[in-house]
Amino acid sequence: MSGRLVKPIKVLIALNTAWNLVNFRSGLIRALVARGYEVVAVAPQDEYADHLAALGCRFVALPMDNGGTHPVHDVLLLLRFRRLFGREKPDVYLGYTVKPNVYGSLAAHSMNIAVINNIAGLGAVFIRDGWLVKLVRGLYKLALRRSSKVFFQNPDDLKLFKDSGLVRPEATELLPGSGIDLNRFEVVPLAQEMHPAGKFRFLLIARMLRDKGVGEFVEAARLIHKRWPQAECCLLGFVDAQNPTAISGTQVDAWVAQGVVNYLGVSDDVRAEIATADCIVLPSYREGTPRTLLEAAAMGRPIITTDAVGCREVVDDGINGYLCKVRNAENLAAKMEQMLSLSQDQRKNMGLRGREKMEREFDEQIVIQKYLNAIDAIFSTRPIKSSMSSYQT
């Protein structure tokens, strides 16, 4: 008697940090594993890599120069991806963030591996203009032209790529950001509701980058302190020295010494920090769909963010938060004062409407199902070659 043993479909997922995998893709990884897929998670080694085994996947470290533009480093990354794919032989590659999307996809296409991309915001380089933007757009066009699916996290980025001819329109689809786990991020009472005598806390959760609007937040905090001494403005997130728009740790320390803001460092469980805040602020210049705002809204926190690509999708102005002008500290301060002027019940209701919006539009299960559908579509039209072996009985 003879037969064929079909090994599980192997999915290789790559991002620029293991931290990103753990914090933003855990739900998807668990869903892929639950479906019986073999999942290999790839990123540079960091202290979060050890957490990935608990999700049921296998971690493979892959060095990459995330913030650099040196052509030799990028060619080496392309070669590392090719060696990795030759060793792992995945059936499908899921790429996130710029370098895995570009160089991982180019390597996968060259080896006839199916590719699904996720354009989760275009970063600092697309905010500006010049030769680097042209180069990155050209690389994206090469990397995405044969992808089975290219997901976008907001309609502006999707339109930009379509209008610029960087992607085949029929391969594109819109996602509600990375989605939010509504069971993990539950509504908790507002901080002032728990501690009425405490200060009102504004909290910005992001990497310490100029393009996240950290500078505008600090300047708005200076203005707020003059009229609202009971208000506290806090920063939470990595000091990312590799990014071209990074704010140095020295600068952050200086702001703290001046009494303008409090720096809370980093957190492995952002829920505890959101719970201590009364309003979450993100004055970013451009985003995919900011996960921190989804988390904040899911926990019933009112939000202030910019009327910018990726940010405006999370806030219905005046309903679950306020939209402010981009790169405008004065307007941001005015919106923060508007939030301070609301009653506790008004802020509570604003937060609850944010939770309702998350349940209606941003549930993580929506994202997961779209990925499962995309993988199903790939293997309904092409055979699984790399994962099959035969046996005799």
Side-chain angles (χ1 to χ4, degrees):
M1 181 178 178
S2 65
R4 293 187 67 83
L5 172 67
V6 180
K7 293 182 179 179
I9 290 173
K10 181 184 282 192
V11 179
L12 193 148
I13 176 171
L15 288 94
N16 59 357
T17 65
W19 176 88
N20 198 321
L21 280 164
V22 171
N23 283 279
F24 296 162
R25 307 300 162 193
S26 292
L28 175 60
I29 290 172
R30 288 193 185 98
L32 294 171
V33 171
R35 231 192 192 204
Y37 298 159
E38 180 183 354
V39 180
V40 180
V42 175
Q45 180 76 44
D46 63 31
E47 63 268 28
Y48 291 86
D50 292 340
H51 298 290
L52 288 164
L55 304 178
C57 66
R58 178 163 52 87
F59 175 73
V60 175
L62 186 75
M64 64 181 78
D65 181 12
N66 289 322
T69 57
H70 196 292
V72 173
H73 294 169
D74 289 346
V75 170
L76 287 174
L77 179 59
L78 177 63
L79 294 175
R80 288 191 193 108
F81 268 114
R82 278 187 57 85
R83 284 197 296 269
L84 174 66
F85 292 147
R87 190 169 65 247
E88 293 290 341
K89 296 180 171 57
D91 298 295
V92 60
Y93 171 65
L94 309 185
Y96 296 82
T97 64
V98 176
K99 301 233 171 166
N101 265 328
V102 171
Y103 300 107
S105 298
L106 288 172
H109 291 317
S110 73
M111 301 175 76
N112 200 32
I113 297 165
V115 175
I116 298 174
N117 300 103
N118 187 309
I119 309 299
L122 300 180
V125 68
F126 268 77
I127 297 173
R128 297 168 179 82
D129 203 357
W131 70 268
L132 186 56
V133 173
K134 293 177 182 177
L135 174 62
V136 172
R137 288 188 180 196
L139 288 170
Y140 264 126
K141 187 172 183 177
L142 284 173
L144 304 179
R145 62 182 178 177
R146 292 174 54 196
S147 294
S148 299
K149 180 70 69 176
V150 183
F151 287 118
F152 290 84
Q153 296 198 4
N154 65 68
D156 298 88
D157 289 345
L158 174 55
K159 184 177 186 301
L160 172 61
F161 271 60
K162 280 185 177 180
D163 291 350
S164 301
L166 304 183
V167 65
R168 294 178 294 111
E170 65 272 18
T172 63
E173 191 168 350
L174 194 62
L175 291 178
S178 53
I180 186 69
D181 184 343
L182 295 170
N183 294 318
R184 185 166 185 263
F185 290 88
E186 299 179 309
V187 176
V188 297
L190 289 172
Q192 281 202 327
E193 189 174 326
M194 295 185 289
H195 308 289
K199 287 191 172 185
F200 186 99
R201 173 173 283 191
F202 290 105
L203 177 61
L204 186 155
I205 308 171
R207 288 175 294 158
M208 297 297 106
L209 307 177
R210 289 189 294 277
D211 289 344
K212 297 294 184 181
V214 174
E216 286 80 3
F217 180 71
V218 172
E219 290 308 307
R222 293 186 196 276
L223 297 172
I224 288 292
H225 287 165
K226 295 175 182 178
R227 292 187 56 189
W228 302 84
Q230 76 274 29
E232 178 185 27
C233 297
C234 298
L235 299 169
L236 176 74
F238 292 102
V239 176
D240 185 358
Q242 291 187 345
N243 193 285
T245 74
I247 294 169
S248 68
T250 302
Q251 178 62 78
V252 173
D253 291 341
W255 288 331
V256 173
Q258 294 164 14
V260 182
V261 294
N262 290 330
Y263 177 58
L264 307 179
V266 298
S267 174
D268 288 335
D269 189 354
V270 73
R271 293 174 298 177
E273 301 297 341
I274 293 173
T276 67
D278 298 282
C279 176
I280 303 300
V281 182
L282 183 65
S284 181
Y285 301 170
R286 186 185 188 116
E287 295 283 335
T289 298
R291 178 63 175 263
T292 55
L293 295 188
L294 302 185
E295 293 167 346
M299 291 182 65
R301 292 299 180 267
I303 292 166
I304 299 174
T305 191
T306 43
D307 187 8
V309 172
C311 297
R312 65 173 72 101
E313 281 74 25
V314 185
V315 172
D316 298 324
D317 195 27
I319 305 298
N320 68 307
Y322 295 122
L323 294 174
C324 65
K325 296 177 182 178
V326 182
R327 304 175 190 249
N328 191 318
E330 291 78 11
N331 187 250
L332 172 59
K335 299 298 182 178
M336 292 166 72
E337 287 200 68
Q338 201 170 344
M339 185 66 68
L340 284 163
S341 298
L342 296 177
S343 69
Q344 185 74 355
D345 283 343
Q346 287 174 315
R347 287 191 291 266
K348 179 179 179 180
N349 289 334
M350 188 173 272
L352 292 176
R353 287 194 289 267
R355 171 70 186 196
E356 292 168 359
K357 183 177 178 69
M358 295 304 102
E359 293 173 351
R360 188 172 61 248
E361 301 175 26
F362 290 93
D363 190 336
E364 183 182 52
Q365 294 305 312
I366 299 171
V367 176
I368 290 171
Q369 190 57 54
K370 283 180 179 285
Y371 265 94
L372 297 179
N373 292 345
I375 293 173
D376 285 344
I378 289 170
F379 296 114
S380 67
T381 58
R382 61 190 288 179
I384 305 171
K385 295 179 179 179
S386 64
S387 295
M388 298 187 70
S389 64
S390 62
Y391 70 94
Q392 299 289 325
T393 59

